């Protein structure tokens, strides 16, 4: 998987994590503007957590040193 394909994949994974959080929270009939700061922080936390997990997996499997170094920078930063 190319770095661009991987980025698209991780973006989708993060979006799915946010969607799962919203579904678990319930009240999907309410407008997004009704979300509290805490709600947004929880969504962000879930998305960031998913990104870290996927990036760690990718870093281990990355075929090229430059990509591993970039992921190291993002993860250890």
């Amino acid at each position: 998987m190319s770095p661009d394909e991987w980025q698209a994949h991780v973006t989708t994974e993060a979006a799915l994590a946010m969607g799962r959080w919203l579904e678990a929270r319930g009240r999907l009939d309410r407008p997004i503007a009704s979300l509290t700061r805490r709600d947004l922080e929880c969504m962000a936390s879930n998305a960031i957590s998913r990104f870290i997990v996927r990036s760690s997996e990718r870093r281990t499997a990355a075929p090229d040193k430059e990509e591993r170094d970039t992921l190291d920078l993002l993860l250890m930063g």
Side-chain angles (χ1 to χ4, degrees):
M1 179 180 309
S2 75
D4 288 341
E5 291 170 325
W6 178 81
Q7 179 63 46
H9 175 70
V10 171
T11 299
T12 298
E13 290 277 332
L16 290 172
M18 289 171 31
R20 284 191 294 275
W21 183 86
L22 284 168
E23 286 178 348
R25 171 184 160 275
R27 303 179 315 190
L28 291 175
D29 58 321
R30 295 180 61 191
I32 197 133
S34 71
L35 294 175
T36 65
R37 180 178 176 168
R38 180 69 183 137
D39 291 334
L40 296 171
E41 288 171 350
C42 288
M43 286 174 53
S45 178
N46 281 312
I48 291 166
S49 296
R50 192 65 190 147
F51 174 81
I52 290 170
V53 168
R54 298 299 296 173
S55 295
S56 296
E57 293 170 351
R58 177 68 178 184
R59 193 256 173 248
T60 301
D64 113 351
K65 182 176 177 357
E66 185 177 329
E67 186 176 359
R68 282 192 308 276
D69 291 346
T70 299
L71 290 169
D72 284 345
L73 183 62
L74 286 172
L75 292 168
M76 310 296 178

